[in-house]
Amino acid sequence: MLGQATINGVPAEAADWIGAFDPAGNCAGAAPIIVNEGLAYFNLPIYGDDAGTADLDEGITAGEPFTLRIWQAASNSFATYPNDDAPEYLDGWSNTNGAPIPDYSDPSVVYDFALEVNLFIVCPEATCEGGPVQTLEWGPPGGLITGPGVTGVYWDPLMAGVGVHELTYTLGDTAVTCTVEVTETPDATITAVEPVCANTGAFTLEAVTEGGVWSGDGVLGEFFDPAIAGVGTHEVSYAVGEGFGCDDSAITSIVVYPAPGVPVVGYSVSGNELIAEGAGDGPFAWQWYLGDGTPLKEATAATFNDPLDGEEYYVTATNNYGCSATSESLLYIAPNVGDVDAIEWEIYWNTTTGCIESNLVIDVCEVHSLDGRLLSSHRDGCLDAFSFLNGDSFHIVRLHSGSEVKTIKVIFCRYVQ
């Protein structure tokens, strides 16, 4: 068969091939394109079927149609004449013993093939800067790949850098693109943890790159609980990322110190002092506080002397590791002091006399600082605030009337006209 071949209206190239196929898809002959003075000729032998091998279909038989297909070397693509959607079957084949087939003996007849070149490029999966250099996938061959990190047919995430990158494959005047994301190489370096006390609450573990997996004694998700881990030195591990070159791991140690037990405040045998117990084996540093959180000076023993009736107290025990435990507050009720209904005993401030007065006889009026220190004692029925005032301040006033005792808090303010 003689003729000329064009692809999308353009003469084929010398590297291209043309072939004849029977309806079953068997190739019955093929030949390269012959380019002469810019025209693409073909001299295509179309072989007949060998009658001696009935079980094989090697070629065309008389009356059997055939189709033409062309292969474009530049794009590694195939096309059927005149197009893949509606191929044309040619009749008139005959055995001419090597001479041109009469119906196809004109070399000036042009057969134009509609070739749709489907370019593609496959980007690597998302990776990190430390990921491996990869070979790109693209097609058909013959084009050029460009983009950040591309060298020839290879792509280097470190060269591309962190970000979302577009890679392009261009063949002729057609181009296709894909995108690939490069993230920072994960860093599993763990933020150092100072020694903690066994009664410290659970806290968050931290590393340079978040989102990894923590493991070890006392680890709950991304938290470390000293109470669960227990006293001692504990190894904690962290792993983040996945994939070759895109994962990292680290190990750190967390020291948990023993903590005192929670002290319990109770009365002494005499009832005139408070005792803290239950903190465990010492030594401990003790500190007593009023219920409002005011620390009491020099109240640094397990026993607190001369507490004030009606006042709340609590205590903190601290061991040699610097670990502390705090008791609950206790309202101190002085022994042998009866409860008096406020209606029966009224205490008020007399604005005329400038004194604290009562509907009962006040035998003794004691003024204490908030830490329990006795400032003054009066044995008359009227307490003159200015007799002991030393600037604006809060005080504890303890009033005695017979066997009854009342404790109140008072703020004295200096008045200047």
Side-chain angles (χ1 to χ4, degrees), residues 94-109:
S94 62
N95 183 3
T96 60
N97 295 314
I101 301 172
D103 291 345
Y104 306 102
S105 59
D106 186 355
S108 64
V109 176

Side-chain angles (χ1 to χ4, degrees), residues 137-411:
E137 295 182 34
W138 79 98
L144 177 66
I145 305 172
T146 57
V150 174
T151 302
V153 298
Y154 300 102
W155 178 74
D156 186 349
L158 182 61
M159 182 186 300
V162 174
V164 177
H165 306 291
E166 183 176 88
L167 307 184
T168 303
Y169 177 59
T170 304
L171 179 61
D173 57 359
T174 305
V176 291
T177 62
C178 66
T179 57
V180 57
E181 181 179 9
V182 179
T183 58
E184 292 184 357
T185 301
D187 185 352
T189 301
I190 300 171
T191 302
V193 178
E194 296 295 327
V196 296
C197 299
N199 58 355
T200 300
F203 56 88
T204 304
L205 296 166
E206 297 179 348
V208 174
T209 301
E210 300 178 350
V213 177
W214 296 90
S215 59
D217 293 339
V219 173
L220 299 173
E222 60 181 6
F223 297 93
F224 179 80
D225 191 336
I228 295 177
V231 175
T233 301
H234 304 280
E235 190 175 87
V236 172
S237 301
Y238 181 64
V240 63
E242 59 181 9
F244 178 71
C246 292
D247 56 4
D248 194 20
S249 61
I251 298 175
T252 191
S253 294
I254 300 178
V255 177
V256 178
Y257 289 149
V262 177
V264 177
V265 177
Y267 288 77
S268 66
V269 175
S270 65
N272 293 323
E273 58 186 6
L274 299 177
I275 299 177
E277 298 176 321
D281 297 330
F284 298 116
W286 299 91
Q287 177 61 58
W288 290 86
Y289 299 84
L290 294 177
D292 61 4
T294 302
L296 301 176
K297 295 181 180 180
E298 300 180 359
T300 56
T303 301
F304 177 61
N305 298 317
D306 299 324
L308 295 178
D309 180 50
E311 184 62 81
E312 287 189 11
Y313 297 93
Y314 68 88
V315 68
T316 296
T318 304
N319 61 19
N320 290 338
Y321 293 99
C323 299
S324 301
T326 302
S327 71
E328 293 184 358
S329 296
L330 173 69
L331 177 63
Y332 177 70
I333 304 299
N336 304 320
V337 176
D339 294 332
V340 178
D341 193 314
I343 297 177
E344 298 177 9
W345 188 4
E346 296 182 355
I347 300 172
Y348 58 93
W349 176 258
N350 190 323
T351 58
T352 301
T353 62
C355 297
I356 293 176
E357 296 184 353
S358 168
N359 62 333
L360 298 181
V361 175
I362 300 177
D363 297 321
V364 178
C365 181
E366 298 175 347
V367 179
H368 299 258
S369 63
L370 286 180
D371 59 6
R373 183 164 51 90
L374 180 63
L375 300 177
S376 64
S377 178
H378 300 261
R379 293 186 176 276
D380 51 37
C382 175
L383 175 60
D384 183 354
F386 298 100
S387 64
F388 61 85
L389 182 63
N390 183 20
D392 300 347
S393 58
F394 283 97
H395 293 81
I396 299 296
V397 177
R398 194 176 191 186
L399 304 175
H400 298 258
S401 179
S403 62
E404 306 297 336
V405 177
K406 272 192 178 295
T407 302
I408 59 175
K409 282 185 180 180
V410 180
I411 181 171

Side-chain angles (χ1 to χ4, degrees), residues 15-107:
D16 300 339
W17 281 65
I18 191 170
F21 293 80
D22 69 8
N26 298 309
C27 181
I33 297 297
I34 302 169
V35 176
N36 183 32
E37 296 183 354
L39 299 178
Y41 295 94
F42 63 84
N43 182 4
L44 174 63
I46 305 176
Y47 298 97
D49 186 36
D50 183 359
T53 54
D55 57 337
L56 293 177
D57 186 0
E58 299 97 345
I60 308 299
T61 58
E64 184 179 24
F66 62 92
T67 59
L68 299 178
R69 296 189 70 189
I70 197 165
W71 173 71
Q72 187 181 57
S75 64
N76 191 31
S77 302
F78 294 89
T80 304
Y81 175 76
N83 58 69
D84 290 335
D85 294 331
E88 181 177 341
Y89 287 90
L90 306 177
D91 296 315
W93 179 90
S94 62
N95 183 3
T96 60
N97 295 314
I101 301 172
D103 291 345
Y104 306 102
S105 59
D106 186 355

Side-chain angles (χ1 to χ4, degrees), residues 128-149:
C128 69
E129 288 182 292
V133 175
Q134 300 185 46
T135 302
L136 296 168
E137 295 182 34
W138 79 98
L144 177 66
I145 305 172
T146 57

